[in-house]
Amino acid sequence: MAAEMQRFVTSEDDDEEMGMDVKEEDDEDDDDGEKNIESPAMLGVDGGLAASSSNNRFVHHQQYQEQPTPQGGSRRCRPQEEKERTKLRERQRRAITAKILAGLRRHGNYNLRVRADINDVIAALAREAGWVVLPDGTTFPSRSQGARPVGGTCSTVVTSSSSHIPTQQTPPISLRGISSPYQNTVEYNACQMKSVFVPTSSPYDESSSIRTNSSPLLGDGGDVHNDPLLGGSIDSLDNKQVDISTKLQERDFAGTPYVPVYVMLPLGIINMKCELVDSDGIIKQLRVLKSINVDGVMVDCWWGIVEAHVPQEYNWNGYKRLFQIVREIKLKLQVVMSFHECGGNIGDDVCIPLPNWVAEIGRSNPDIYFTDRAGRRNPECLSWGIDKERVLRGRTAVEVYFDYMRSFRAEFDEFFEDGMISMIEVGLGPCGELRYPSYPVKHGWRYPGVGEFQCYDQYMLNSLRKAAENRGHSFWARGPDNAGSYNSCPHETGFFCDGGDYDGYYGRFFLNWYSQVLIEHGDRVLSLANLVFEGTCIAVKLSGTPWWYKTASHATELTSGFYNSCNRDGYAAIVAMLKKHGVILNFTCAGMSMLNQNVDFSEALADPEGLTWQVLNTAWDVCVPVASENALPCHDREGYNYLSEKAKPTNDPDGRHLFSFTYLRLRPLLMERHNFLEFERFVKRMHGEAVLDILA
């Protein structure tokens, strides 16, 4: 029997015995006769292209004997040896098919019947790639894909010995949130999720020569970027020349819903003495913004400036002057309660540390900061472990935040009363975002590393110890010891690799605890913010980390605090917490502006489009409003068109759209004539107004 199996593995001739179908009949049916194979090349479940030479076919057919039939003709029957080989081949192919179907059902949310055959698999994959497959097997691209190029399309071979689908010139097929970490090039065409609306491609997603998954944005200096916030593809950030057609058909946004547009003011508009910098220049710029009907501006109120030297002594002087100017020009204000430091991240052009008195406490008790496994402290923000610990001169961290917000509310009461302050965004972590500081550049992180868990200060470890004891497994009171380092890839670690410890009993316990700490921190701070800012819109900024999104573990999301592995929705609990407090979600894919274009980004298996739509639909499904902002500079028409399309999806059946949009950031480059005219046009389209230069 072993010899027969060996002959099955090595023989090219045997593959001609089977077509594409995976037979479901009993083994004894194989004895009825030979199947005539007319095609010289076939695609089998085991992935080989079966092609035999004429000589091999001649030798193969000589194995059969001619026997007379009652009608006077003859038929060929196979010897017993050949029948046994056929049975072995059938069993092996059925086993391979069973594994494929099990994987698709478990990881890809495919609704495949128990006895599905290879045709069902191909049809499911084709539909996910955006093709239309009719019941009779007729297959053609959907309208949103446009015409496929004629010729030059490679055949795709699905192999049992490989865990990936080879790349091709047409967009390849990828499972939802899963792909092999060893794949060289992965491009994502459509993300099909359960109960999730997925928009079709817009005209701005295509170029005349190269099809990409998103519209490129031109950043400062003319480099080609993608907008990661609203679904740009990280794969297109490599050293490719993207030809952008300027004569694409544009959508007319006249009569569409009104989306307010705000402009983020410069980071250093208030200096460390809490004085307004260049008030005359700011007045001129704000008047220009008002002339094109921008709704308002957003500004950070830095904890490290206002309460810099002595606890509970607040200096709001510079902000008072700024707010008065904004009110005189009749703009609205969105204010960020910034409880983090500024500086050390890409895009930070000023340095604003945490208050001096907090730094003094940190020198004697460094456990007030987030800490990684190696014991490195991150003074960017306070650890959530001290939310209820009185280590800040007799106050807990939550009490410090509450006192700061209460002082702001009292100081600027008149601006709240007249409605000039339209929104308060509460900072909940690094960069003002609700996440762990898991990928700090200052500690050597570089894209696309998975980052590290930040739970090794004594207060977080005490919380983990209590959780483990309550579970009855005190030996679980530790962080993962096989999760790699900041710049590891998932498949290089025992924790994040496919089938790794992240999905074991301990891994699920740890990740549940780690993500729950994040949710509880947001819940505590937002409870107090609602008391302070009653009657005013409150927002929370959520950071998207799309790299490694196509792997099973979603490693970068796990270290950031989002338990969003392939078999669970890690954002549902966060959105439920925001809904509880009536809070607006400000979502952006962060960290993408840190990318160095000399890196091969295709290895990161990133999917900002899929991540963005997962988060937006999770929020919209429970009626949580979503605001957004651009993560990279944008000054060209194609970029603005792409932002407009994503802000107001054209084919959303419920007509959902962004609550507001904030443009980052007010800079001299934006005020240049050509750039400003494009920005003015963008504002009109976001407001649902007609523009006269629509390209047909």
Side-chain angles (χ1 to χ4, degrees):
M1 185 65 69
E4 296 300 330
M5 178 62 72
Q6 179 65 24
R7 292 179 61 186
F8 156 71
V9 172
T10 57
S11 175
E12 290 184 358
D13 305 337
D14 296 341
D15 287 338
E16 290 191 17
E17 290 296 319
M18 301 304 302
M20 292 181 59
D21 294 331
V22 177
K23 299 188 299 180
E24 299 293 346
E25 61 269 18
D26 296 333
D27 290 295
E28 56 267 18
D29 292 342
D30 294 331
D31 300 339
D32 292 342
E34 174 194 4
K35 296 180 181 64
N36 293 321
I37 305 300
E38 298 180 359
S39 174
M42 297 158 292
L43 178 64
V45 178
D46 57 354
L49 277 177
S52 302
S53 66
S54 58
N55 292 335
N56 288 339
R57 281 197 296 270
F58 175 77
V59 173
H60 177 74
H61 286 292
Q62 288 297 315
Q63 296 177 5
Y64 298 100
Q65 299 176 353
E66 298 284 345
Q67 292 187 359
T69 61
Q71 290 77 18
S74 63
R75 69 177 181 89
R76 286 174 291 183
C77 66
R78 292 174 295 175
Q80 186 63 31
E81 176 182 328
E82 181 63 25
K83 295 177 183 178
E84 292 297 329
R85 292 168 58 188
T86 300
K87 292 179 182 179
L88 289 174
R89 183 167 56 250
E90 282 300 314
R91 290 171 188 151
Q92 179 165 345
R93 289 182 173 178
R94 289 175 189 173
I96 293 171
T97 303
K99 292 179 181 179
I100 293 175
L101 298 180
L104 293 177
R105 291 191 193 99
R106 178 181 179 186
H107 302 298
N109 289 336
Y110 288 95
N111 186 18
L112 296 172
R113 58 191 176 90
V114 175
R115 298 178 69 83
D117 60 19
I118 194 63
N119 293 334
D120 297 316
V121 176
I122 294 174
L125 296 176
R127 290 189 183 102
E128 179 164 355
W131 293 74
V132 176
V133 181
L134 300 181
D136 65 354
T138 303
T139 304
F140 53 88
S142 63
R143 293 181 180 178
S144 62
Q145 286 182 294
R148 296 281 177 175
V150 178
T153 302
C154 299
S155 300
T156 303
V157 179
V158 183
T159 69
S160 61
S161 60
S162 174
S163 61
H164 68 275
I165 301 175
T167 57
Q168 52 185 352
Q169 294 181 11
T170 55
I173 300 165
S174 62
L175 303 183
R176 175 207 177 277
I178 299 176
S179 188
S180 168
Y182 306 101
Q183 197 163 342
N184 291 328
T185 303
V186 177
E187 294 182 359
Y188 186 76
N189 184 39
C191 179
Q192 184 179 21
M193 287 184 276
K194 189 176 182 180
S195 300
V196 174
F197 163 73
V198 181
T200 57
S201 303
S202 69
Y204 316 112
D205 296 336
E206 304 175 3
S207 67
S208 59
S209 61
I210 299 178
R211 291 181 58 87
T212 61
N213 295 329
S214 60
S215 171
L217 303 183
L218 298 181
D220 298 340
D223 294 332
V224 177
H225 298 282
N226 274 90
D227 176 26
L229 154 71
L230 292 171
S233 171
I234 198 171
D235 293 342
S236 61
L237 287 174
D238 56 10
N239 298 325
K240 295 179 180 178
Q241 296 276 337
V242 181
D243 179 20
I244 305 173
S245 173
T246 59
K247 297 189 180 295
L248 293 173
Q249 181 180 358
E250 290 186 291
R251 175 183 166 195
D252 186 0
F253 283 89
T256 57
Y258 186 101
V259 175
V261 177
Y262 289 76
V263 176
M264 173 68 83
L265 296 180
L267 292 171
I269 193 171
I270 304 293
N271 64 22
M272 290 302 297
K273 297 179 180 178
C274 202
E275 299 171 339
L276 179 62
V277 177
D278 189 17
S279 59
D280 292 338
I282 290 297
I283 291 173
K284 293 177 181 178
Q285 290 178 326
L286 294 183
R287 284 176 176 166
V288 173
L289 292 178
K290 179 63 178 179
S291 70
I292 63 170
N293 295 321
V294 167
D295 294 89
V297 293
M298 176 180 275
V299 63
D300 289 281
C301 280
W302 295 101
W303 181 33
I305 292 177
V306 175
E307 196 182 358
H309 304 292
V310 181
Q312 295 182 279
E313 287 191 8
Y314 307 100
N315 178 7
W316 300 102
N317 292 335
Y319 291 104
K320 284 183 182 178
R321 176 60 183 143
L322 174 62
F323 288 14
Q324 289 168 355
I325 292 174
V326 173
R327 180 164 61 180
E328 290 170 2
I329 299 176
K330 295 181 170 34
L331 291 170
K332 291 188 177 295
L333 263 172
Q334 292 180 340
V335 183
V336 184
M337 300 286 101
S338 298
F339 297 111
H340 61 283
E341 75 169 8
C342 179
N345 292 312
I346 302 300
D348 292 347
D349 52 11
V350 297
C351 181
I352 304 173
L354 298 185
N356 295 332
W357 60 273
V358 172
E360 292 177 3
I361 297 173
R363 282 190 283 272
S364 59
N365 181 16
D367 285 297
I368 67 172
Y369 302 126
F370 282 107
T371 307
D372 63 19
R373 185 174 181 82
R376 288 169 290 195
R377 316 290 183 171
N378 189 337
E380 186 175 354
C381 60
L382 297 179
S383 168
W384 300 334
I386 64 170
D387 276 359
K388 298 187 289 184
E389 300 288 340
R390 297 191 177 279
V391 295
L392 300 176
R393 304 282 175 88
R395 293 186 295 166
T396 67
V398 171
E399 290 173 343
V400 169
Y401 305 145
F402 177 66
D403 291 341
Y404 181 87
M405 292 187 291
R406 189 169 54 178
S407 172
F408 175 83
R409 179 63 178 81
E411 195 70 33
F412 297 100
D413 180 70
E414 58 182 304
F415 297 95
F416 284 95
E417 294 300 324
D418 63 14
M420 197 199 84
I421 296 180
S422 62
M423 180 187 292
I424 298 293
E425 184 174 294
V426 180
L428 295 175
C431 298
E433 301 161 351
L434 180 58
R435 64 172 176 87
Y436 287 89
S438 56
Y439 45 92
V441 176
K442 66 180 69 176
H443 288 167
W445 174 86
R446 295 296 182 269
Y447 178 87
V450 298
E452 290 191 21
F453 292 110
Q454 305 291 312
C455 59
Y456 294 95
D457 61 83
Q458 64 169 321
Y459 304 103
M460 292 286 282
L461 289 176
N462 287 339
S463 172
L464 177 58
R465 186 176 302 108
K466 292 178 182 177
E469 291 173 353
N470 291 338
R471 180 68 182 272
H473 303 292
S474 58
F475 56 93
W476 282 354
R478 56 178 176 81
D481 55 8
N482 59 347
S485 60
Y486 283 112
N487 295 315
S488 296
C489 295
H491 61 272
E492 299 171 347
T493 73
F495 192 80
F496 297 120
C497 66
D498 289 352
D501 292 346
Y502 80 92
D503 201 29
Y505 290 111
Y506 161 74
R508 292 195 294 270
F509 159 78
F510 173 79
L511 293 172
N512 269 308
W513 167 81
Y514 191 72
S515 60
Q516 190 61 33
V517 170
L518 176 146
I519 294 172
E520 291 175 353
H521 170 72
D523 185 52
R524 281 190 288 265
V525 177
L526 291 177
S527 296
L528 298 178
N530 268 321
L531 293 177
V532 175
F533 302 117
E534 185 178 2
T536 303
C537 290
I538 298 176
V540 166
K541 188 173 182 180
L542 190 69
S543 169
T545 52
W547 53 101
W548 305 118
Y549 185 81
K550 291 184 178 181
T551 61
S553 62
H554 293 223
T556 311
E557 292 171 271
L558 298 186
T559 58
S560 298
F562 310 131
Y563 192 0
N564 192 51
S565 56
C566 66
N567 53 359
R568 56 178 289 140
D569 184 352
Y571 299 98
I574 297 174
V575 168
M577 181 268 294
L578 299 182
K579 181 175 177 61
K580 169 186 172 182
H581 298 289
V583 170
I584 297 167
L585 170 63
N586 182 10
F587 179 73
T588 178
C589 283
M592 303 279 282
S593 57
M594 305 175 189
L595 306 186
N596 182 340
Q597 293 194 14
N598 293 324
V599 179
D600 183 6
F601 302 113
S602 63
E603 297 296 331
L605 299 177
D607 186 10
E609 184 84 16
L611 173 59
T612 298
W613 279 104
Q614 180 187 356
V615 174
L616 293 189
N617 281 275
T618 300
W620 281 340
D621 284 348
V622 295
C623 300
V624 171
V626 180
S628 200
E629 59 190 41
N630 59 300
L632 293 176
C634 176
H635 302 290
D636 64 287
R637 180 166 299 188
E638 283 70 35
Y640 286 129
N641 285 343
Y642 186 76
L643 293 175
S644 302
E645 283 285 342
K646 297 303 180 180
K648 306 177 186 181
T650 183
N651 53 356
D652 188 326
D654 299 315
R656 300 175 296 191
H657 55 83
L658 294 182
F659 179 84
S660 66
F661 181 84
T662 302
Y663 178 84
L664 272 62
R665 160 179 325 266
L666 182 59
R667 289 189 174 98
L669 184 60
L670 174 64
M671 307 307 289
E672 294 179 3
R673 176 174 174 77
H674 175 74
N675 293 339
F676 194 76
L677 289 175
E678 288 295 332
F679 180 68
E680 178 184 10
R681 186 177 184 275
F682 167 70
V683 172
K684 288 182 178 180
R685 288 159 67 83
M686 292 291 280
H687 287 172
E689 301 176 13
V691 294
L692 301 180
D693 56 344
I694 293 289
L695 295 178

